[in-house]
Amino acid sequence: QDVQTNRCWVVDCTSITRRDWTQIQTTIEGVIEQFNPRCIAVDSTGLGLVPTQLLQKRFGRRVVGVNFSRPIKAELATGLFQALADGMLKLQNRRDLVSDLYMLKRIVSSNGSVTFDADHDENGHADRAWALALAIYGIGRRSGQIVATGGTGNLAVPGSK
């Protein structure tokens, strides 16, 4: 995040699919060591709980576990789309992220409650978009570069350019 302009750019997006946790953890730790982020926002829902705990043990309070409840998903999606609408987030030459963004769906139930979900395809279910939403969420919590992991271990790192 550029503190003077409050703009963010994605400087790295590493997708990790169909690997065991040791390989995923090694990749995540490499990205963390490369960028030295102030915040590491992690999807701690379900199977994500143990990886979150292992990352917290290694990297301490910088790791923020986020349980993907309906209200949190709404907050994440809203924050992500607001960052794009405000021009805070720039996705230059990131077709993979843009494609994932289009997969996110805002669903309004008959009683008026709003949820967010995504269709599932061979690339996951908008994992990069959710990782980017986690990164924006992390920026709101702490300034500086953010590493976010979500879904199949996708990482998104907004940073200054």
Side-chain angles (χ1 to χ4, degrees):
Q1 179 180 26
D2 183 327
V3 273
Q4 292 182 347
T5 65
N6 198 35
R7 288 207 173 128
C8 299
W9 292 264
V10 176
V11 295
D12 184 65
C13 185
T14 305
S15 293
I16 308 164
T17 56
R18 294 175 181 80
R19 297 203 178 141
D20 67 32
W21 170 243
T22 305
Q23 292 172 312
I24 293 171
Q25 184 176 6
T26 300
T27 302
I28 293 169
E29 289 174 355
V31 171
I32 291 170
E33 289 169 8
Q34 178 182 0
F35 292 101
N36 192 29
R38 292 185 181 177
C39 181
I40 305 156
V42 182
D43 176 0
S44 62
T45 311
L47 294 174
L49 182 59
V50 172
T52 300
Q53 291 171 340
L54 292 171
L55 288 169
Q56 285 172 332
K57 186 175 182 180
R58 170 99 193 267
F59 296 102
R61 294 177 47 187
R62 291 191 296 166
V63 177
V64 177
V66 180
N67 190 332
F68 272 37
S69 64
R70 283 184 184 197
I72 290 294
K73 285 176 84 171
E75 181 181 346
L76 291 171
T78 302
L80 174 59
F81 289 115
Q82 192 64 53
L84 287 164
D86 291 347
M88 176 193 149
L89 177 63
K90 299 295 182 186
L91 298 178
Q92 299 165 324
N93 303 315
R94 299 307 317 222
R95 291 177 192 227
D96 52 349
L97 288 172
V98 172
S99 175
D100 271 19
L101 287 171
Y102 279 110
M103 291 175 72
L104 291 179
K105 305 273 189 269
R106 182 177 184 264
I107 302 162
V108 181
S109 71
S110 58
N111 68 2
S113 66
V114 176
T115 60
F116 288 85
D117 209 347
D119 295 329
H120 193 277
D121 68 8
E122 67 278 357
N123 296 317
H125 48 277
D127 293 330
R128 287 176 293 260
W130 287 119
L132 189 55
L134 281 168
I136 297 301
Y137 175 81
I139 287 172
R141 296 176 58 88
R142 304 192 180 132
S143 61
Q145 290 191 329
I146 309 297
V147 169
T149 69
T152 56
N154 297 305
L155 308 176
V157 183
S160 59
K161 181 176 180 180

